[in-house]
């Protein structure tokens, strides 16, 4: 068995014995294979050394460590050189390391407080009272929970303080409630800044998270006191005037801030943010916005009651019926009765109505007595407040799902041209005045006010091959885009049996028929063989009878075709179709096994050649064709792809919306099926535990009464599918993993690389193709700007940097293999580059090799003639996981197979996750193209 040396002798290996983990102490290193030795021989391991015969399932030494302490991500294999060099600006601001000792203290507050805001008030009062005495003039930074940091030691190692907090003035003249807290501050340790400085210059492999956390807390302290904090962003209505989003919501502008270790040292990443907040309206106006003004003259319906109760639960309000008295409450619910029917006991013998009470006590006449009252405070005490006597407090973040109208409004507000976004970022840095920040001064942190100037390269677009019968046999995209004029698909598919179903009342049969004819003609022009006549005439149906209509068309077509199956279903949908689209996809893909193409009414009325061309591209790949391929692929010139059979995976997990506490997470994995062209993909999806990020069904085993232990899982199934499609087994694996945050890198790599290894070993003894594991991130806040906004040659039409711009210097990780790639042309707003971080690399990619491969793949996305912002396998996995949301329904039966959507296995104490319905075979390769 091959042994590889690790960087540290204490590192360990993972050994699998009968699917149990044993941990020997043999050291080894993530070096990958030797390039001179290919994995073609069954007796050759991933590193080119000989492996003893035997089953890898029973006794396999894996090529990675078993603990995060021993795991080392690959170091950068040098800087990329390919492409045209240029300078870009990044929203990173250089930060000097402090030269002071940073000290960590533990904070214990009794009685325990849940709210960070209250903790901060307690500590602010403590600092106000004792800074000049017991704190020795230190100005500490506090994380709102258990940690306090100072620049230099305090005069004590442990001390107890008693702090009194007085309730805020609510306008009443009575005595204010006073609460007393015991605060104990204890010395923990000195924070090691030397470790951080060594890490920044590449002499230390582990990022000192505590030191980074301290600096982050220090630089956020002042903003935490000034603004509303949401995650890592700060918001205020004073930055820009709030914009109404509708239904009682408004958008607030703010900024994101995070300290990051980079090649240029410490960097402060600043970006603009927007978020939805509840508009500070009188509650009666808020209700009017949600239900319409007529609600003021009619009683609540049951659905009104549910909608308002859901919208207002947990919202803080202040009373407005008592003059200067502004008591604050939190809404806990609504009364089931209207206000005029509400009574409460005055004493043991008499009752009083809420209407009478407010009139007598406050001389306040309740006008809308037909509406329910708000429950506030403790529901057991039956505290009732009329809606018209309350106003919503400002600064409450809206965390529930936005509707489409609100999302559109928010996107319109946040969509900034690059020049404007850059200007706002600089203005924010100037406004924050870090040079005058008392906490930054106290800790000796200095922040530059200039955007980082970064060396970048613009990678060339790849040549694309089209069919030789077209006027243009090949194409070189210009600024990230091209078109289908004079070109034919390189592999046009054949559609002979199709039908159309029309769910739109406003589309007449003749119009639908004409649209179908135009689409069929466009498919033919683009290189497909497309029968101009449908199997049956266009069928008109009502959206509320979708299942009945689909099955009618399916069976009617089957009868006409005498047993042959329908190949394609076109569906015309109303522009606002609610759940109709999802219902069609679910029924077609999990029940009927039908490939469908949906078109909106607006496109049927206004037929555009560009729209028809795009739809024809989608239909072609759904039907098994290929639109274009990379010229380098068919001429066998892609490094570390063309030399041996290579499979490229994409994987993603999507989680349910906030507030959906019982919905499962959906995992999706896709894999290329057409080496050496790498344009066609097949995919699988599965449901797993709520908010579980690790993909559970990459590899699995279960006991079958007849066959014994059976292996399965998405990786295994897709490897088999590749072998069937190409006639060869993959000898190299490239795995693009989307949706992983930095804090999850180690556990995702350990778990999912293990699953890949096991899946390979289960197929054939000694089968361990080398793996490159790359995380793809889009949810980051790094933005790249042209160096000169007046130089049109350095930008695309939207003012963004040019597609193909890659950065692997200055703002990237000090030592690890990562890069930012803006592979697409901007349309509107500021382009967000994708961040690629290599977590494992046994294929020994060079920087140019992986950057060029990733950029070139972005030109092979099948649904449009543009390069896309994320490498297509990761993009397809995201779309597949999103599509599978439509498959989640209450009546899903508890069955699945290893060939479809796989059963989720649960550990002890975990709730079982109902599996998704099995996908039909012909759908697995197209669901993410739809």
């Amino acid at each position: 068995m091959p042994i590889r040396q690790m960087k540290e002798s204490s590192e360990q290996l993972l050994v699998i014995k009968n699917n149990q983990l044993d941990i020997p102490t043999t050291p080894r290193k993530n070096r990958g294979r030797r390039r001179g030795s290919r994995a073609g021989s069954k007796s050759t391991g991933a590193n080119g050394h000989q492996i003893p015969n035997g089953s890898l399932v029973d006794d396999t030494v894996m090529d990675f460590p078993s603990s995060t302490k021993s795991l080392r991500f690959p170091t950068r294999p040098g800087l990329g050189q390919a492409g045209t060099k240029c300078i870009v600006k990044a929203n990173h601001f250089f930060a000097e390391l402090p030269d002071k000792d940073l000290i960590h203290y533990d904070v214990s507050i009794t009685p325990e407080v849940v709210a960070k805001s209250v903790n901060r008030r307690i500590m602010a009062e403590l600092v106000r009272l004792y800074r000049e005495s017991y704190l020795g003039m230190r100005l500490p930074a506090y994380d709102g929970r258990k940690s306090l940091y100072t620049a230099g030691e305090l005069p004590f190692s442990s001390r107890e303080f008693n702090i009194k907090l007085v309730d805020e003035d609510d306008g009443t003249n009575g005595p204010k409630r006073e609460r007393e807290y015991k605060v104990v501050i204890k010395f923990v340790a000195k924070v090691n800044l030397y470790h951080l400085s060594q890490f920044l210059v590449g002499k230390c492999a582990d990022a000192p998270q505590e030191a980074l956390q301290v600096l982050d807390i220090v630089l956020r302290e002042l903003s935490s006191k000034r603004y509303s904090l949401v995650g890592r962003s700060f918001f205020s209505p004073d930055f820009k005037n709030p914009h109404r989003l509708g239904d009682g919501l408004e958008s607030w502008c703010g900024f994101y801030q995070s300290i990051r270790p980079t090649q240029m040292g410490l960097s402060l990443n600043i970006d603009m943010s927007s978020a939805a907040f509840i508009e500070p309206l009188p509650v009666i106006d808020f209700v009017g916005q949600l239900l319409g003004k007529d609600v003021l003259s009619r009683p609540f319906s049951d659905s009104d009651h549910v909608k308002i109760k859901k919208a207002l639960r947990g919202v803080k309000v202040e009373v407005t019926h008592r003059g200067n008295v502004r008591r604050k409450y939190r809404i806990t619910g609504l009364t089931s009765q209207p206000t005029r029917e509400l009574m409460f006991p005055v004493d043991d013998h008499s009752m009083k109505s809420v209407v009478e009470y407010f009139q007598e006590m406050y001389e306040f006449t309740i006008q809308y007595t037909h509406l329910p009252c708000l429950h506030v405070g403790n529901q057991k005490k039956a505290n009732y407040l009329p809606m018209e006597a309350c106003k919503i407090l400002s600064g409450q973040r809206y965390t529930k799902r936005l509707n489409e109208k609100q999302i559109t409004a928010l996107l319109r507000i946040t969509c900034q041209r690059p020049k404007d976004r850059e200007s706002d970022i600089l203005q924010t840095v100037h406004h924050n005045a870090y040079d005058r920040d008392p906490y930054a001064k106290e800790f000796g942190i200095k922040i530059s006010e200039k955007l980082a100037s970064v060396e970048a390269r613009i990678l060339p677009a790849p040549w694309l091959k089209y069919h030789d019968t077209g006027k243009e046999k090949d194409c070189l995209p210009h600024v990230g885009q091209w078109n289908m004029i004079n070109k034919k698909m390189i592999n046009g598919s054949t559609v002979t049996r199709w039908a159309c179903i029309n769910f739109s009342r406003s589309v007449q049969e003749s119009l639908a028929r004409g649209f179908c004819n135009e689409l069929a003609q466009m498919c033919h022009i683009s290189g497909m063989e497309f029968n101009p006549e449908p199997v049956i005439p266009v069928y008109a149906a009502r959206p509320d009878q979708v299942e009945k209509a689909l099955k009618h068309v399916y069976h009617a077509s089957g009868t006409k075709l005498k047993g042959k199956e329908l190949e394609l279903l076109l569906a015309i949908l109303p522009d606002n179709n609610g759940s109709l689209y999802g219902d069609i996809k679910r029924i077609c893909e999990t029940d009927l096994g039908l490939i469908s193409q949906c078109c909106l009414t607006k496109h049927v009325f206004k037929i555009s050649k560009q729209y028809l061309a795009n739809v024809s591209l989608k239909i072609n790949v759904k039907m098994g064709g290929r639109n274009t391929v990379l010229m380098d692929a068919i001429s066998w010139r892609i490094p570390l792809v063309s030399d041996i059979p290579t499979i490229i995976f994409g994987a993603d997990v999507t989680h349910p919306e906030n507030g959906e506490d019982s919905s499962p997470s959906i995992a999706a994995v896709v894999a290329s099926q057409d080496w050496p062209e790498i344009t066609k993909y097949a995919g699988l999806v599965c449901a797993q535990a709520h908010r579980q990020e690790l993909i559970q069904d990459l590899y699995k085993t279960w006991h079958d009464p007849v066959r014994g232990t059976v292996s399965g899982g998405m990786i295994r199934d897709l490897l088999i599918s590749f072998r069937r499609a190409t006639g060869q087994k993959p000898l190299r694996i490239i795995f693009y993993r989307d949706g992983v945050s930095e804090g999850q890198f180690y556990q995702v790599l350990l778990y999912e690389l293990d699953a890949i290894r096991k899946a390979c070993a289960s197929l054939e003894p000694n089968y361990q193709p080398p793996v490159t594991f790359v995380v793809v991130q889009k949810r980051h806040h790094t933005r790249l700007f042209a160096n000169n906004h007046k130089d049109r040659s350095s930008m695309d039409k939207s003012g963004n940097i040019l597609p193909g711009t890659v950065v692997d210097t200055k703002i990237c990780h000090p030592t690890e293999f990562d890069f930012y790639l803006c592979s697409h042309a901007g349309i509107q707003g500021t382009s967000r580059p994708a961040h690629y971080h290599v977590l494992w690399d046994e294929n020994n990619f060079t920087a140019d090799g992986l950057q060029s491969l990733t950029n070139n793949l972005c030109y092979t996305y099948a649904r449009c003639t543009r390069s896309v912002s994320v490498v297509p396998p990761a993009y397809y996995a995201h779309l597949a996981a999103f599509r599978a949301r439509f498959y989640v329904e209450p009546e899903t039966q508890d069955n699945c197979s290893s060939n479809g959507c796989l059963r989720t296995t649960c550990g002890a104490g975990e709730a079982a996750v109902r599996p998704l319905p099995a996908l039909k075979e012909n759908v697995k390769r197209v669901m993410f193209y739809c």
Side-chain angles (χ1 to χ4, degrees), residues 498-502 516 519 530 568-572 596-597 599 619:
W498 62 277
C500 176
I501 186 167
N502 176 18
C516 290
L519 181 56
F530 202 101
L568 175 69
L569 177 69
L570 299 178
I572 298 172
S596 59
Q597 176 61 55
C599 305
I619 290 175

Side-chain angles (χ1 to χ4, degrees), residues 335 337-342 354-355 366 368-373 386:
T335 60
Q337 299 166 287
T339 302
R340 60 174 169 243
E341 296 177 14
L342 290 172
V354 169
V355 174
I366 301 174
Y368 306 110
T369 58
H370 62 287
L371 298 180
C373 269

